[in-house]
Amino acid sequence: MKRRAEQLCDGKMELGRLDDCPAEMEESFWNHVVDYEEAPWTTHFHQLEMAGVSLPLPDSLNDQELTAKLWEVIHKLALLRVFIEQTDHLSDRDLYRHLWTDSLREETKLLPSAANSAWHIQMLGGCSEEDNYLYLKYYADDASRQHWHEDFSNDSVPAHEDPPYDRDRLLPKPDYFPPFTREPN
């Protein structure tokens, strides 16, 4: 598999050693690399359409229709192992518009679905000052806000506010591991 991965990357892959890794784990790793390299490109938008979900223009829907469509998209994405996070600062219309125009149109690999894997779409990617501001204002806990202040003392940390919407707690979440159960004493 390692040789196949190297061929798929046209020799542009840097190989490291996995000294302490069991052979079966290393083989599994290289299988994933080959699966990724051989997978075709797609978008989540296209995957939703192929799954029978219509994706009308955001402005073509009234508020009630848009909210229903947003939740249809959210639940169908979860079935495709795609999970949305950090949405409570966006209205339903703003979230659907962002998904429709940006996030769902980003190219991604069409990988086989697996119970222990998932794609995550974070509305705050941390790639802009605005994302950082919104994260600090609505999502960061006290410890994260303090660390930010220490690491970026020239940045002002906005006062915490509760987000204007309450959606994240209702969003589907990946179930990577079985729930933890405690043995009785």
Side-chain angles (χ1 to χ4, degrees):
M1 279 294 147
K2 188 188 294 187
R3 279 192 293 274
R4 179 70 183 133
E6 201 169 13
Q7 291 169 344
L8 289 168
C9 295
D10 295 327
K12 297 176 184 170
M13 181 173 72
E14 291 187 31
L15 297 175
R17 292 189 43 86
L18 301 172
D19 295 330
D20 295 341
C21 186
E24 62 274 1
M25 188 178 285
E26 185 174 359
E27 182 71 13
S28 176
F29 169 78
W30 288 113
N31 281 328
H32 288 296
V33 171
V34 168
D35 285 348
Y36 180 85
E37 292 298 331
E38 290 182 334
W41 287 99
T42 188
T43 64
H44 295 308
F45 196 100
H46 180 69
Q47 288 177 292
L48 286 168
E49 288 180 320
M50 296 306 293
V53 177
S54 67
L55 295 162
L57 286 161
D59 292 337
S60 71
L61 301 169
N62 67 35
D63 289 345
Q64 186 177 359
E65 293 167 334
L66 185 130
T67 295
K69 179 56 66 176
L70 174 63
W71 282 102
E72 178 188 2
V73 166
I74 288 169
H75 288 292
K76 183 57 85 169
L77 284 171
L79 292 174
L80 296 171
R81 307 285 307 149
V82 179
F83 300 93
I84 302 170
E85 300 167 344
Q86 296 177 323
T87 72
D88 284 346
H89 64 287
L90 297 169
S91 68
D92 285 354
R93 184 163 300 280
D94 289 339
L95 176 57
Y96 183 76
R97 182 177 290 116
H98 187 277
L99 291 169
W100 198 93
T101 60
D102 295 316
S103 296
L104 296 179
R105 295 185 186 266
E106 292 179 12
E107 287 200 331
T108 187
K109 289 285 193 152
L110 181 58
L111 294 169
S113 184
N116 64 346
S117 66
W119 293 102
H120 295 267
I121 298 175
Q122 293 189 337
M123 294 297 106
L124 299 177
C127 297
S128 70
E129 286 185 33
E130 181 183 12
D131 282 356
N132 293 336
Y133 174 83
L134 292 169
Y135 168 75
L136 291 168
K137 182 175 181 176
Y138 295 124
Y139 300 99
D141 60 19
D142 290 340
S144 297
R145 294 165 55 77
Q146 182 61 36
H147 287 299
W148 187 275
H149 179 69
E150 292 166 4
D151 292 344
F152 304 101
S153 57
N154 291 336
D155 288 359
S156 64
V157 177
H160 172 78
E161 290 182 28
D162 289 336
Y165 303 96
D166 183 27
R167 179 188 312 106
D168 288 352
R169 67 183 177 83
L170 304 173
L171 294 174
K173 310 251 185 297
D175 53 347
Y176 296 119
F177 306 104
F180 175 76
T181 56
R182 187 175 287 200
E183 293 293 321
N185 292 339

